[in-house]
Amino acid sequence: MLVLVDSTFEAFPSSIVSLKHMRCLELSGNERITKLPDAVCKLQSLDILCVGGCVNLEELPRDISKLISLRWLEITTKQTSFPDNGVGCMKSLRFLCIVHCGNLTSLPRDMSYLAVLHTLIIANCEQLDLENGNYQLIPMRLQRLAIVSLPRMEALPEWLQGAANTLRVLYIWYCKNLDALPEWLTSFTSLRILHLRECPKLVSLPEGMHRLEVKIEDCPQLKRGM
């Protein structure tokens, strides 16, 4: 395990490849690092990689999909999109957090990772359109989803219906242009908790949401509609 939270180093040595038994690499909060060495992708035992809050990281290593044991990934990057054969191909991921990616316009086009994820957090990505990419509807195991500060999101993405039998917890916070929740959300048989916070354009909930634990904060239109 190597934990260097809020560090200020600008480069990471390629000699990291010698740490072949390392399971966790935690670099969150480093605002100076711009690149990770490709050698990181040779750490076949790596289970956790955290580069959340690394706001000047230009991109993820191009061979990141070679981290075949990776189950937990936290990302901040200046990329506008994820390349093919990258994050989207990581079939061992269970937890994915994409945060403070101000240039990102779309999620990975390959949706293999969505089929195995249990938790997905997407936050503070001003340009991200969750529907941008012509995603296919695939069965998913997603149990927890948090969507925070996505100003381009006006509706929940259609691909989320792939988690209709597994999603248990849904957080939607600070989505200022979300104006409706889809009727198909009522068909989510495992959904138990819906937490809405500061979605000022949201006017009403679909019929049949009474079975859920619904928490509403700072959604003035919604409270009046109810």
Side-chain angles (χ1 to χ4, degrees):
M1 171 181 277
L2 179 58
V3 178
L4 297 168
V5 175
D6 295 330
S7 56
T8 58
F9 62 86
E10 298 180 16
F12 206 83
S14 296
S15 58
I16 190 176
V17 71
S18 64
L19 304 176
K20 60 182 180 180
H21 298 298
M22 185 162 60
R23 300 288 300 277
C24 173
L25 178 58
E26 166 71 90
L27 305 175
S28 298
N30 184 322
E31 297 185 357
R32 302 181 69 180
I33 193 169
T34 60
K35 184 179 180 181
L36 292 179
D38 291 334
V40 167
C41 301
K42 296 181 179 180
L43 300 174
Q44 296 295 292
S45 297
L46 200 63
D47 187 64
I48 298 171
L49 175 61
C50 300
V51 289
C54 298
V55 294
N56 285 304
L57 189 66
E58 295 289 343
E59 60 183 7
L60 298 176
R62 61 178 179 272
D63 292 329
I64 193 169
S65 62
K66 292 183 178 179
L67 294 174
I68 58 175
S69 299
L70 201 68
R71 295 169 61 87
W72 182 295
L73 178 60
E74 298 179 21
I75 305 170
T76 297
T77 174
K78 297 177 75 172
Q79 292 169 254
T80 58
S81 62
F82 294 110
D84 294 339
N85 302 316
V87 173
C89 299
M90 304 186 75
K91 299 180 180 180
S92 294
L93 279 183
R94 298 297 183 268
F95 178 99
L96 176 61
C97 177
I98 302 172
V99 60
H100 297 299
C101 296
N103 299 324
L104 193 65
T105 60
S106 63
L107 294 176
R109 286 185 294 179
D110 188 318
M111 298 188 71
S112 299
Y113 68 108
L114 283 176
V116 295
L117 278 182
H118 290 170
T119 301
L120 176 60
I121 300 171
I122 308 172
N124 299 104
C125 299
E126 293 82 1
Q127 304 300 320
L128 181 59
D129 182 350
L130 295 181
E131 289 285 17
N132 185 10
N134 298 318
Y135 303 109
Q136 301 296 316
L137 192 62
I138 62 171
M140 296 159 59
R141 301 177 188 173
L142 197 63
Q143 297 177 16
R144 292 174 291 275
L145 173 62
I147 300 173
V148 181
S149 295
L150 298 191
R152 287 187 175 270
M153 188 181 75
E154 298 179 2
L156 289 180
E158 294 288 335
W159 52 258
L160 184 57
Q161 294 180 71
N165 296 323
T166 59
L167 192 68
R168 298 179 59 83
V169 180
L170 176 58
Y171 289 90
I172 306 174
W173 293 358
Y174 310 117
C175 292
K176 63 182 181 181
N177 288 310
L178 178 68
D179 58 15
L181 294 181
E183 291 295 331
W184 46 255
L185 196 60
T186 61
S187 68
F188 278 50
T189 56
S190 296
L191 191 60
R192 296 293 178 266
I193 298 174
L194 174 63
H195 190 177
L196 304 168
R197 175 183 289 176
E198 207 163 314
C199 299
K201 290 188 178 181
L202 196 58
V203 175
S204 62
L205 297 179
E207 294 290 336
M209 305 297 285
H210 58 274
R211 59 183 172 80
L212 305 180
E213 177 186 328
V214 180
K215 186 174 183 179
I216 301 170
E217 298 180 69
D218 299 318
C219 301
Q221 299 289 340
L222 182 56
K223 286 188 176 180
R224 282 201 292 270
M226 295 179 68

